[in-house]
Amino acid sequence: MLRYLGNRLLYAIPTVTCVVFAVFLLLHLIPGDPAQVMLGVGASEQDLAALREKLGLDRPLVVQFARYARGVLSGDLGDSFAYRKEVLPVILERLPATLELTFAAMLLACGIGIPLGVEAAIRRRSSFDLLCRVIALTGVSFPVFWLAIQLMYLFAVTLPLLPLSGRGGPVYTWSGVRHLLLPAVALSTIMLPSTMRLTRSSMLEVLGQEYVRVARSKGLRELVVIYKHAFRNAILPVITNIGLQFGMLLGGAFLTEHVFAWPGIGQLTVNAIFRRDFPLVQGVILVTALAFFLVNLGVDVSYAYLDPRVRREMAERA
Amino acid sequence: MSEAGGASARVPLRRRVRRHAQILIALPLLAGLVLVASLAPLLMRHDPNRLNPRVKVQPPSQTYVLGTDEFGRDILSRLAYGARITLIVTFASVVLAAVGGTALGTVAAYAGRAVEMVIMRTMDGMLCFPPILLGIFVVTFLGPSLVNLILVIGVLYIPRFTRVVHSSTLAIRELEYVESARALGSSALRIVARAILPNILAPIMVQASLAAGHAILLESGLSFLGLGPPPPAPSWGRMVEQSGRYMQLSILPIIWPSAAISATVLGFNLLGDGLRDLLDPRLRN
Amino acid sequence: MKILSVTGLRASGVAIAIAMLLVAPALCFGGAKPGGTLRIAMYADATSLDPGGANDIPSQKAYNLVFDSVLAFDKNLQVIGHVATAWKPSADSKVWTFTIRPGIKFHDGSPLTAEDVAFSFQRILDAPEAASQKKSSIAMIDSIEAKGNEVSFKLKYPFAPFPGTTAQIHIVPKQLAKEVGNKGFASRPVGSGPFKFVDWVKDDHLTLDRNDQYWLKRPNLDRVILRPIPEGTVRAMSLMAGEVDVVDQVSSETIAKLQGVKGVELLSTTGLNYYWLGFRQYGPPYNNLKFRRMVYHAIDMDGAIKTIFPQGNAVRAYGAVPPLVWPHDDKFLREQAPQPDKAKAKSLLGELIAEGVMKPDTKVLVSMPNDPERIKLGEILVTNLKEIGVNGELKVSETGSYIETAVKGTEPFIYSLFAVPRYLDPDAVFSWLFLTGPSGSTHGAKILGLAGVDPKINDPIEKARVISDQGERAKLYVPLQRYIMLDRLYHIPAYYRTIVLGKRSAVQDLLPAPNDLFWLVTPFSNVWLDR
C-alpha cells in the first residue's frame, strides 16, 4: 500500500509540472500583453518595454519558465501583476470560502442524490423512478445563472429570509451559514443529477449480480441485502465520481461565485486570465492541480479500503 | 440474446412500452428537434437576425409566437435556428470526445505499462483543468467560432471517456470469453471490436448523455463570458445570457431558451439511459 | 408693579441666548445626523489601494476615500484647491509652484508636507516600479522640488493645463511608503482622506472608518463598507432588499425595475466618458475618406442608442469633448455630421466599387470588445451595413486580446474604445486621442494608424498648450475638432454614458459624480444617513 502511495505521489509531480507548463505556454501564446493591460492604452513604448523587462517578460520562454520553477521549488510563487502582492497569500485567502462552498454543495448533492438514486434503482421503472430522474434532469438543464437569480429573488427579496450575496464569515458562524445556503443549493444542482444517476445505474448493476441473488435467497431481509451488500459495492464508482467533481470544483465554480459575489477561487482565476495576471493564473493552477491529485489519491485509497479486489490489484501493480 | 427476443414476443404491450419508456420519449423529442433545426428556413416566418427595435420585448402574439427579444427579433425563429447550433455543437463535440476517449482508453488498457501511465496521467492533468479556463484560452487564441467551441468541449470530455473506457476494458479483459477468444487466436483488434466494444457501450452511453448535457451548459457559460459563437448567432446559450440581463423587464425571453436547453438535455439523457438499458446484457432482468 | 425689571430683562436675555445656542448646531447641520454605516455595492472589487499603483476604476473609487489629491473639483468640475491652497505658473508656464496647506495630518498622525507631495509624484514617474497608468498624464514633468511648504514642478514644455493634472494624483506619506515598500504600503494604506483603512477581505468587503482628524470637515458617516457584487441584477436586488445603501453602474434594464420601488432613488448625471467607433486606417478601404463617409451615412446612431439605452441613460455624441468640458460646439457638429441616409450610402458604395477601392463582397470587419452595450452597437452597425449591401462582419474579443489587436499590428478594421479625459481640459482629449506622427499618441498614431505627422492636428494642440487664455485656446480647439470629426471622419462619435447611481432614500447629500467616483465627503457635500 505504501509503495502504491509513493508511486502515485511520484507520478503526480511530473503531471502537475506538465499541467503548469501547459498553462504557462497557453498564457504566453494568447494575445494580450500584461504590461499593456497594466499601463493602459496610452502608455508609451518605453514604459511598456521597461515594465516588461521588470516583470521578466522579455526573456525567452524557457528561461522564464525555469525562473518560475526555481521560485516554486523554494516556495515563491511570484508576485501577482494585478494585486502587486505575493501570489500564494492571495490564493490562500480565498481557499476557505471555496472549500466551504464546495463541501456544502457536495453534501447537499450526495445527501439528496444518493438516497434518491438508491430508491430509484430499487423501484426501477416505476413512476417514482421516472419522476426522480425527470426532476433531476430538469435541475441540471436550467442554467445556473437563472436558477441562482430565482433562488435569490424568492428567499432574499420576496421573503427576506436569507442574505442575497456575499460571504458572511466563516462557516461556523450563524451569519456564515446563512450566506452559504443559497450558493450551495445553486451549486449542488450541478452535481446532484450526475450523482443520482450514477448511484442509480451502479445500484442497478450491483442488484443484478449473483451475490445479491444469493443473499436474497439466503432469506436475509431486503433492507440488509440492499444496504449491507449492494450499496457498499454500488457506492464505489460514485465515490470516484465525487472525488472527480470535488477536484474540479476546487478550481472554483465561476458562475455561482460571480452571481452570489462569493469570494472564491473561480472568480479570482477568471479575472486573472482577463487581466493577463500570469503568476496568479499559474499559481492557482498549481495549487488546484495538487489538490486535485491529493483528492484523487484519497478517493483511490478509500476505494482500495472498501474493495479488496482493488487492494489486491494495487499490490500487484505497485 | 435469444432469450430476450423470445420473451418479448409474449410480453404485453404495456410492459414493453414501460420498458422502453425513455427511448419512446427521447426519440420523438430529439427527432423533432432535428427536424425543426434542419427545416428552420421553411418553417419560420421571420428572419432570426432582423433587428426591429420598435417591437422589442413583446409578449407572445400572433405575429411573434413566443414574443421578441431586446432587439425586436422573433424568439421562436431564433430558437429554431439556434437548434442547429446546439445540435451541431453537442453532437460533434460528444462524438469527438467519445471517439478520442475510446481510442485512448482501449490503447491504454492494452498497451504496455509505460504507455498506459502516460495516457492516464495526461488525462488526469486535463481533468484538473477548470473547463472555463480552457474555453477562455482556446477562444482567445483561436477566436470565437462554432468549430472552436466544438474543439473545446470535445477535448474537455476526452479524459472522462478515456477513464471510463479504460476501467471498463480492464474489467472485461479478464473475463472468460475474452480469454477464450484470445486463446482461439483472434487479433487484439478483433477482440476489441467484437467482445469489448459492445460491452463498454453502456458506460459510454451514460458518459455521452452526461457529456451532451454538460456541453450545452458549457456553451451557455462561455457565452456568458462573451466567448460563445459570435453574435448575432442565435445560440441558445447566448440567448439565455442576454435575456438574463433584462429579466426584471420580462421573464419570458429567458424561459424559452432555458426550456429548450432543458428539453434537449433531457432528451439526450433519456436516450442515453434507454439505450444503455437496451444494450447492457447484464441489466436484462 | 414692575413687569420688566432689569434683572428680568437680563434673565430673559440669557434664556434667549441659551435657547439660540441649543438651536444653532441644528441650524448649522441643516438636519444632518452624524453616525451610521454606509454600505456601497460596487461592480468590481479594487485590486490595490495604492494610488500610485492601482490602475483600475474600482481601485480609484476606493482609494479616493482614503487619500487626498493635490487639487480637487467642485460640483461643477472646476478645479479648486485641496491639499494645495494656491498655485501659480512662472512667466513661461514651464514651472508651476504649489503652496501646500498647513495642518493636514495623515491617519497615523504624521503631518503632510511638501516632501510628501513631491514624493507622491516622483514615485509614479519612477517607472517601472510603480507601473501606473497615471504616468502618461504627468509625463511632462521634468523635475520636482520641495522647499518649505511649496512644491515646484519644472515641466519639459510649457503646459497651461498642468494644475488639472494634479487633481488625479493622491498624496502618500513619504517616510512610511519608503519604509514598508510598495507591497507593504498596498496592504496597509495610510492617507489623509476622510476615511481610514480598517480591513479588506478581497472580493468580499472593504471597511473604512471615519477619520476624525480630517482637515476639510468632520465626515458624518461613522463607517463605509464597499462590497463588490459583479452581477448587475444582484446589485439591484440588494438595493431593493435594503442590504446595501448605494449601488453604482445601474444598467439600462435595471433602471426600469428600480424606478418603481419604494425607498429607492436613482441619481444620474452626464458622464465624462466618450465612446466612439473608429477606423484603423492601415489599409483599404478604411483609409479612404469616402468609405468612412459611407459607413457614417449607413449607421443610424440615434436609433442604436435608443435600442441600447432604452432608459435614455446615454447621450448621443457628436464630438470627442464630453459635455461638461469646454469648448462646446455641439450644434455645429450635429448639423454638419453625415446623417443616416441609406440611399446616399448605397451610392457611395457604388462609387467605391467603381473606383476599385473595394469589391461588392469585400468584408468589412467590425471588432468590438466584450462589453454588452458595444456588442449591441456592433450588431446594429453590421446590420446597417448589410442593409446597404456591404458584407459586414462582427468580431467580439475579450478585453486583453482586444486591446492587443487594437493597439498593435497593421490589421485594419472598425473598432470601438472609450476615453475619459485625465484632466478636465480639451488638451486631455485631443493630445490623448489624436496626436499624429512617430511621437504621436497611442490612440492617434497607433490605433487610428495616423503615422505621418498631420500639422493640422499637431500644431493647434501644441500651440494651445502654451497659451493660458481659455478663449484663445478655444479658438484653436473648435476648428481642430471640426477638422477631425467632419473633414477627416476619423471617428464616428457614439455616445456619452450617463452615470447612474441607485440609493436608498435614507442616504442624504449624495451627489452623482461625473467622473464616476463616490463623492462622500467633499468641499460641497457630506453624506449622512437619515435613519
Side-chain angles (χ1 to χ4, degrees), chain A residues 106-235:
Chain A
M106 296 210 60
L107 219 67
L108 279 171
C110 295
I112 302 177
I114 292 181
L116 277 184
V118 170
E119 276 306 306
I122 295 173
R123 306 204 220 169
R124 187 187 175 198
R125 301 253 165 88
S126 70
S127 1
F128 177 84
D129 183 13
L130 204 61
L131 186 68
C132 262
R133 286 160 59 207
V134 169
I135 292 176
L137 289 170
T138 48
V140 78
S141 316
F142 277 108
V144 177
F145 174 74
W146 186 86
L147 187 69
I149 304 255
Q150 293 312 303
L151 280 174
M152 273 191 223
Y153 204 75
L154 188 61
F155 290 105
V157 181
T158 328
L159 325 158
L161 287 173
L162 293 169
L164 259 166
S165 62
R167 178 170 180 248
V171 72
Y172 45 81
T173 60
W174 177 231
S175 168
V177 171
R178 287 181 74 224
H179 279 87
L180 184 56
L181 218 54
L182 285 180
V185 167
L187 189 58
S188 68
T189 61
I190 299 182
M191 292 187 284
L192 193 141
S194 58
T195 310
M196 201 208 70
R197 294 180 70 211
L198 204 56
T199 311
R200 176 186 176 274
S201 57
S202 185
M203 272 299 276
L204 281 178
E205 255 189 64
V206 163
L207 284 174
Q209 298 275 9
E210 283 276 343
Y211 63 90
V212 172
R213 268 183 267 160
V214 166
R216 272 209 195 104
S217 65
K218 268 162 73 177
L220 290 172
R221 278 186 309 158
E222 190 65 15
L223 225 66
V224 175
V225 170
I226 292 173
Y227 283 100
K228 191 146 172 255
H229 294 272
F231 183 70
R232 276 193 67 185
N233 291 299
I235 202 65

Side-chain angles (χ1 to χ4, degrees), chain A residues 30-33 36-45 47-48 50-52 54 79 82-86 90 93-94 145 148-150 152-153 156-157 160 162-169 179 257-264 267-268 271 273-276, chain C residues 44-48 52-56 127-136 182-183 186-187 200-205 227-231 233-234 237-241 243 257 370 398-405 407-408 417 422 432 442-443 446-447:
Chain A
I30 56 177
D33 175 11
Q36 184 87 66
V37 174
M38 284 169 88
L39 290 181
V41 179
S44 73
E45 213 25 79
D47 290 337
L48 285 173
L51 185 58
R52 266 187 236 123
K54 170 164 182 270
D79 288 349
Y83 291 96
R84 323 288 177 103
K85 292 177 66 178
E86 287 100 20
V90 173
E93 265 181 338
R94 288 175 176 69
F145 174 74
I149 304 255
Q150 293 312 303
M152 273 191 223
Y153 204 75
V157 181
L162 293 169
L164 259 166
S165 62
R167 178 170 180 248
H179 279 87
E257 288 178 20
H258 176 90
V259 175
F260 284 100
W262 190 262
Q267 282 200 83
L268 180 70
N271 286 334
I273 297 184
F274 285 141
R275 290 189 192 118
R276 302 295 191 277
Chain C
D45 196 18
T47 51
S48 163
N55 290 321
D56 53 305
E129 292 306 311
S132 170
Q133 286 192 8
K134 300 202 177 136
K135 180 167 183 224
S136 29
N182 283 345
K183 263 197 246 172
S187 308
W200 187 15
V201 178
K202 302 250 174 49
D203 289 328
D204 195 37
H205 66 269
R227 282 188 53 199
I229 301 183
E231 186 52 47
T233 324
V234 180
M237 287 204 284
S238 306
L239 190 66
M240 280 164 44
E243 260 188 36
K257 184 69 181 188
N370 189 17
E398 51 88 34
T399 321
S401 333
Y402 189 72
I403 293 184
E404 178 97 351
T405 55
V407 173
K408 296 206 170 111
L417 286 172
R422 298 302 174 97
W432 188 251
T442 309
H443 275 284
K446 281 210 235 164
I447 301 180

Side-chain angles (χ1 to χ4, degrees), chain A residues 41, chain C residues 274-280 301 308 365-371 373-378 381 394-395 397 399 402-403 405-406 413-419 443 447-448 490-495:
Chain A
V41 179
Chain C
Y274 161 57
Y275 289 76
W276 74 90
L277 293 170
F279 297 87
R280 272 175 59 89
M301 189 63 81
I308 305 171
L365 184 58
V366 177
S367 179
M368 289 289 163
N370 189 17
D371 161 21
E373 287 158 5
R374 272 177 294 161
I375 295 177
K376 282 192 187 155
L377 183 61
L381 174 56
L394 176 65
K395 180 171 163 204
S397 331
T399 321
Y402 189 72
I403 293 184
T405 55
F413 49 83
I414 300 177
Y415 70 94
S416 174
L417 286 172
F418 74 95
H443 275 284
I447 301 180
L448 284 174
Y490 288 151
H491 280 192
I492 300 179
Y495 51 85

Side-chain angles (χ1 to χ4, degrees), chain C residues 327-343:
Chain C
H328 307 289
D329 193 26
D330 246 36
K331 189 156 172 297
F332 186 88
L333 291 168
R334 182 166 23 107
E335 285 164 7
Q336 300 300 319
Q339 302 300 317
D341 187 339
K342 291 219 198 316

